[in-house]
Amino acid sequence: MQQNANLIGRISQRLSLFLFLFLITVLVQAQTITSPDKNLSMTFELAANGVPTYQLTYKKKPVIKQSKMGFEMKDVPSMMNGFAVAKTEQNSVNDTWEPVWGEQKTIRNNYNELLVTLNQKEHKDRHIRIRFRLFNDGLGFRYEFPQQPELKYFIIKEEHTEFNLTGDHKIFWIPGDYDTNEYAYTTSQISQIPGLMEKATIDVHAQHPIKTLAVQTPSMMKSSDGLYINIHEAALLNYPAMNLNVDPKTFKFSTHLTPDAVGNKGYLQTDAQTPWRTIVVSDRATDILASKLILNLNEPTAYEDVSWIKPVKYIGIWWEYFVAGKSTWAYGKETNVKLTDDYTKLTPSGRHGATTENAKKHIDFAAEHGFDAVLIEGWNIGWEDWFGNWKEEVFDFVTAYPDFDVKEVQKYAESKGVRVMMHHETSGAATNYERRLHEAFQFMQDHGYNSVKTGYVGKIIPRGEHHDGQWMVNHYNYVANTAAKYKIMINSHEAVRPTGLHRTFPNWLAQESARGTEFEAMGGLAPDHATILPFTRLMGGPMDYTPGIFQTDLSYYHGGEQRVNTTLVKQLAYYVTMYSPLQMAADIPDNYTRFPDAFQFIKDVALDWDDTWVLEAEPGDYVTIARKAKGKNEWYIGGITDENTRTANIRFDYLPKGKNYIATIYADAKDASWNKNPQKYEIRKVLVNSKSVLKQHLASGGGVAVSVKEGSKQEQKGLKKL
């Protein structure tokens, strides 16, 4: 018996020693950081076989369960496992910075950081770093590949970062695709995505849907226990864009990088790093829209002079191509042209929109109503066969059609104090654009153009590359950086979705990269579309949504049943809810002269802001936002709803205390809706102060817009207090 007791004692001692050593190992391998406000907690640890993992909680609720990290390489051993922790470092930052333009004059950058260095001893101590930054609004992390003897050049076969979700969340999604972001959003549970994918993958030119089940980022979700979760990326530089593979049974997402023409995902040379993977999380939807995490993870601009970068409010020769049926981009009737052809010998169609006469008409309107610029699409040769031919030498960006006098238009615009906005459609031929880029920008500089709308409609050239691949990501960034050398501002369409790079390239004012107003003339947008976009596409940066359509029933032009699925007032509200420093009054000018009182809001609304307050929001349902104009005692509020009528609750506690202001309220009429009486609205003025609360009816597919300004005693006289 004594012998057995001694044996049991020795076993117990050894077991205790084993458990002690195991716990020490876990303590060494596991590292936890918390957000500055202590609500978020992130733990990094190595799982079995040295696999890197992380997990994230919010107010002790799991957000991301233990999720693997790593890389599968094509030409060197993988970075999936076999790691040991070589070193950990922690750091805290709490400072502020001022953007060149934006939703806030000052942005706080406050996070706790964990930097983990991992070694793979079986590969001669090859090492990688993973940098985590935990903010009060979420987590950002990236992989870093330092210079080292055992890792110089490498090809990524796939990044294997997981986002292991906790349940079957409600998700607002568009299909994973390498070439287009212009899908309509679907709202469903994660488990329902497989059954809805075919219907969601509508026909879009130059699309390339991912064959496996995948969705795009930003991916917006809501858990059954009330957490709002947004997954995206920040600082997309020299790397392909990320889609998310979806496991509808386990609710595990994982990275799916956009490949190149030969199937590789990325080419890197150390010292290098990936974009940041971002997870914004809160139990309040308003916090998601207020987050500045993605911007904070981008590098400050290196531009020494930013004084020439200014927000732009513009009109254009554009919407008439989609709805009026009277104009086209092309000058001639022929459909087989070359840049070397004599365009004076083409047969004029008689419907060309970008004529000198039409340009002057738009310049007159812009000057009369205080707009900064006029966009003129279709001024340059090549539009006769620009679409769908995978043609490389399609535009030269400097040669005008016979009926457009560049110098005359320039001279006329200058005399009116209006800029002309250049248009560079590439038809996807990025090689052609890069060859001609400096000549095109010099042409702009010589003729007084300081902003350009670029476009990438069609399949990409180099052939086989994708809109969202590494090659094209580098192209977009190269264009923005090159434009800065000519003091030119960029507005890109059909480009990769934004990731906060407007901090680094502040002349990159806005992008399209989603389904915008043009689709209202091509089947229409669902009434909930614009209540989803701020939680998805706009998380990465401003969108050139092109709002302001007053003639919403498009049968006005040519019969049929096509309509813009909003009320007129909702179009006004977009100027506040769809943030951008580049805002277009997109309708045909004649339609604004029919509604001059409503048009006043578009003329008044600011483009740059001192501060922003997200008053109420629910993805897919409603958004109400208030903003203070930069350097002015003026505030603007916009509220929008989906197909449901509702009451917007608008507070004014951000106004200076003890003073009354004049609020001009642009509201849907009681019998208005997106499909019946969409142009019926009411405008009233009331006095408001910091204690006021406005409960405003929103029609189906409708909205509300409010301007708040100081007024003299005479102007305030007789107005009712709210």
Side-chain angles (χ1 to χ4, degrees):
M1 293 291 291
Q2 183 62 43
Q3 186 175 4
N4 288 340
N6 290 338
L7 179 61
I8 292 172
R10 287 196 297 272
I11 292 173
S12 178
Q13 288 176 346
R14 289 175 181 175
L15 183 60
S16 297
L17 179 61
F18 171 79
L19 290 173
F20 174 76
L21 292 173
F22 174 77
L23 288 172
I24 289 294
T25 301
V26 170
L27 289 172
V28 169
Q29 303 288 21
Q31 295 286 324
T32 298
I33 56 173
T34 58
S35 59
D37 65 3
K38 308 300 183 185
N39 284 334
L40 282 158
S41 177
M42 191 285 302
T43 297
F44 169 85
E45 62 181 313
L46 292 179
N49 299 321
V51 175
T53 71
Y54 77 100
Q55 53 190 302
L56 181 67
T57 63
Y58 176 80
K59 294 182 179 179
K60 299 183 179 179
K61 289 183 180 181
V63 179
I64 304 292
K65 297 187 295 184
Q66 189 173 42
S67 299
K68 296 177 183 178
M69 314 172 79
F71 287 86
E72 186 179 359
M73 306 300 193
K74 186 167 184 179
D75 54 343
V76 299
S78 78
M79 287 187 163
M80 298 288 292
N81 52 37
F83 286 104
V85 175
K87 184 171 62 171
T88 63
E89 304 167 67
Q90 293 196 25
N91 183 37
S92 296
V93 169
N94 186 8
D95 56 22
T96 59
W97 58 280
E98 293 190 3
V100 176
W101 45 262
E103 297 176 274
Q104 296 172 209
K105 182 180 180 181
T106 303
I107 293 175
R108 187 182 183 192
N109 182 36
N110 184 203
Y111 61 84
N112 292 326
E113 180 179 86
L114 171 66
L115 178 61
V116 181
T117 301
L118 301 174
N119 277 11
Q120 280 182 311
K121 289 190 176 181
E122 65 175 301
H123 300 302
K124 300 180 182 179
D125 282 336
R126 188 176 61 166
H127 55 281
I128 185 175
R129 293 194 295 253
I130 307 177
R131 189 181 300 271
F132 299 90
R133 289 182 180 172
L134 195 56
F135 301 77
N136 291 338
D137 47 349
L139 172 67
F141 62 89
R142 74 180 181 189
Y143 303 89
E144 300 175 355
F145 306 93
Q147 286 189 3
Q148 53 194 288
E150 299 306 318
L151 190 64
K152 297 178 181 178
Y153 304 90
F154 59 98
I155 299 172
I156 296 173
K157 187 174 182 180
E158 187 59 274
E159 177 188 329
H160 291 282
T161 300
E162 294 179 352
F163 304 87
N164 194 2
L165 300 164
T166 61
D168 192 10
H169 300 338
K170 182 179 183 180
I171 181 170
F172 304 84
W173 59 277
I174 55 177
D177 197 292
Y178 300 148
D179 276 299
T180 185
N181 320 114
E182 296 183 338
Y183 290 111
Y185 279 90
T186 299
T187 303
S188 72
Q189 304 304 123
I190 294 173
S191 61
Q192 295 173 321
I193 293 176
L196 297 170
M197 184 58 75
E198 183 177 357
K199 180 180 179 182
T201 311
I202 57 178
D203 184 45
V204 180
H205 183 70
Q207 68 191 125
H208 196 292
I210 296 174
K211 293 180 180 179
T212 56
L213 193 68
V215 297
Q216 294 190 39
T217 71
S219 178
M220 184 68 214
M221 290 167 280
K222 184 181 182 182
S223 70
S224 60
D225 57 355
L227 290 185
Y228 298 87
I229 304 163
N230 186 282
I231 298 175
H232 190 35
E233 58 184 326
L236 179 59
L237 295 161
N238 192 31
Y239 204 80
M242 173 182 73
N243 290 272
L244 296 171
N245 297 314
V246 177
D247 187 327
K249 295 181 179 179
T250 65
F251 318 122
K252 181 184 293 180
F253 288 7
S254 60
T255 49
H256 184 119
L257 303 180
T258 303
D260 69 357
V262 297
N264 295 327
K265 297 296 182 86
Y267 304 83
L268 297 183
Q269 177 184 355
T270 58
D271 189 24
Q273 61 272 325
T274 68
W276 297 89
R277 279 62 191 97
T278 64
I279 307 167
V280 178
V281 59
S282 179
D283 51 12
R284 299 190 304 175
T286 53
D287 291 344
I288 304 298
L289 299 187
S291 173
K292 293 294 175 282
L293 181 149
I294 289 173
L295 262 183
N296 276 322
L297 290 171
N298 279 268
E299 292 299 315
T301 184
Y303 299 167
E304 293 182 3
D305 175 22
V306 294
S307 62
W308 52 276
I309 302 172
K310 305 289 185 184
V312 178
K313 192 182 295 185
Y314 71 106
I315 63 168
I317 302 175
W318 179 74
W319 188 241
E320 65 183 69
Y321 295 139
F322 291 93
V323 298
K326 65 179 181 180
S327 302
T328 65
W329 286 270
Y331 167 78
K333 292 183 177 180
E334 288 77 4
T335 57
N336 181 17
V337 299
K338 297 179 180 179
L339 292 176
T340 53
D341 289 348
D342 182 353
Y343 279 76
T344 63
K345 295 182 179 179
L346 294 186
T347 306
S349 68
R351 299 173 57 229
H352 184 219
T355 65
T356 301
E357 179 184 1
N358 200 19
K360 287 183 175 181
K361 175 184 174 182
H362 281 75
I363 290 167
D364 287 341
F365 185 88
E368 179 183 355
H369 296 284
F371 285 83
D372 301 304
V374 175
L375 167 70
I376 303 174
E377 292 197 7
W379 69 277
N380 56 315
I381 62 172
W383 287 92
E384 282 70 19
D385 62 352
W386 73 283
F387 181 77
N389 296 309
W390 220 357
K391 178 181 177 182
E392 186 164 13
E393 297 264 314
V394 59
F395 298 113
D396 70 3
F397 314 106
V398 296
T399 305
Y401 275 126
D403 58 354
F404 186 81
D405 189 325
V406 173
K407 291 184 178 180
E408 176 63 22
V409 170
Q410 173 198 359
K411 182 180 177 182
Y412 192 77
E414 286 179 353
S415 72
K416 297 285 186 173
V418 174
R419 291 275 195 172
V420 177
M421 183 181 292
M422 177 58 71
H423 184 224
H424 287 166
E425 175 55 60
T426 69
S427 192
T431 49
N432 179 53
Y433 193 36
E434 287 197 9
R435 282 195 300 270
R436 302 176 184 274
L437 192 62
H438 285 279
E439 181 185 8
F441 284 166
Q442 188 61 58
F443 177 90
M444 288 180 60
Q445 196 174 72
D446 292 344
H447 292 86
Y449 296 80
N450 68 339
S451 61
V452 58
K453 173 183 175 181
T454 62
Y456 296 89
V457 175
K459 297 177 182 179
I460 293 298
I461 301 176
R463 294 179 178 89
E465 294 292 338
H466 298 291
H467 285 76
D468 293 354
Q470 184 184 27
W471 197 95
M472 283 302 294
V473 165
N474 289 339
H475 167 82
Y476 306 130
N477 297 340
Y478 169 72
V479 170
N481 196 41
T482 303
K485 297 175 182 178
Y486 292 84
K487 296 187 176 181
I488 290 170
M489 297 177 288
I490 297 287
N491 166 26
S492 57
H493 281 227
E494 296 86 29
V496 68
R497 49 203 172 274
T499 60
L501 282 171
H502 53 287
R503 180 182 183 186
T504 308
F505 307 118
N507 63 315
W508 198 350
L509 290 187
Q511 296 181 237
E512 182 193 39
S513 306
R515 212 168 173 85
T517 295
E518 65 185 0
F519 283 90
E520 295 281 20
M522 298 183 287
L525 299 170
D528 68 349
H529 182 70
T531 68
I532 296 172
L533 283 177
F535 290 93
T536 52
R537 160 63 183 79
L538 273 78
M539 289 294 293
M543 180 179 178
D544 184 30
Y545 188 72
T546 57
I549 305 302
F550 281 11
Q551 183 53 53
T552 56
D553 183 353
L554 304 185
S555 66
Y556 175 84
Y557 302 106
H558 46 63
E561 298 181 355
Q562 184 63 52
R563 65 169 59 250
V564 176
N565 296 329
T566 74
T567 65
L568 184 152
V569 173
K570 189 176 186 180
Q571 292 287 324
L572 299 180
Y574 285 160
Y575 289 90
V576 182
T577 62
M578 307 284 275
Y579 169 67
S580 180
L582 179 79
Q583 291 283 21
M584 184 183 195
D587 210 339
I588 296 168
D590 289 348
N591 290 330
Y592 293 127
T593 62
R594 294 163 53 207
F595 303 95
D597 52 353
F599 187 45
Q600 189 62 45
F601 184 84
I602 298 178
K603 293 163 64 173
D604 289 344
V605 68
L607 300 173
D608 202 8
W609 308 99
D610 275 336
D611 214 340
T612 291
W613 300 268
V614 184
L615 304 182
E616 56 181 1
E618 182 65 28
D621 292 340
Y622 57 88
V623 175
T624 306
I625 295 176
R627 306 185 193 273
K628 181 182 181 297
K630 184 170 283 187
K632 296 180 179 180
N633 284 329
E634 295 180 7
W635 294 261
Y636 295 88
I637 301 107
I640 60 173
T641 184
D642 58 4
E643 70 279 6
N644 297 304
T645 60
R646 70 179 75 247
T647 298
N649 296 291
I650 301 172
R651 67 180 196 273
F652 295 88
D653 53 358
Y654 38 83
L655 297 177
K657 291 180 173 56
K659 188 173 181 179
N660 289 329
Y661 295 86
I662 298 175
T664 304
I665 303 168
Y666 301 77
D668 295 318
K670 290 182 179 180
D671 58 344
S673 68
W674 66 270
N675 58 349
K676 293 181 180 179
N677 302 319
Q679 293 172 311
K680 292 191 71 173
Y681 58 88
E682 299 170 349
I683 302 175
R684 69 186 191 275
K685 291 187 178 183
V686 296
L687 293 180
V688 296
N689 57 37
S690 61
K691 296 180 181 180
S692 300
V693 175
L694 171 65
K695 293 185 179 296
Q696 180 61 51
H697 164 78
L698 306 185
S700 170
V704 61
V706 184
S707 65
V708 180
K709 300 182 180 182
E710 294 182 289
S712 65
K713 290 184 178 180
Q714 184 62 33
E715 289 172 316
Q716 294 187 19
K717 188 176 181 180
L719 296 180
K720 291 183 179 181
K721 186 174 290 188
L722 187 64

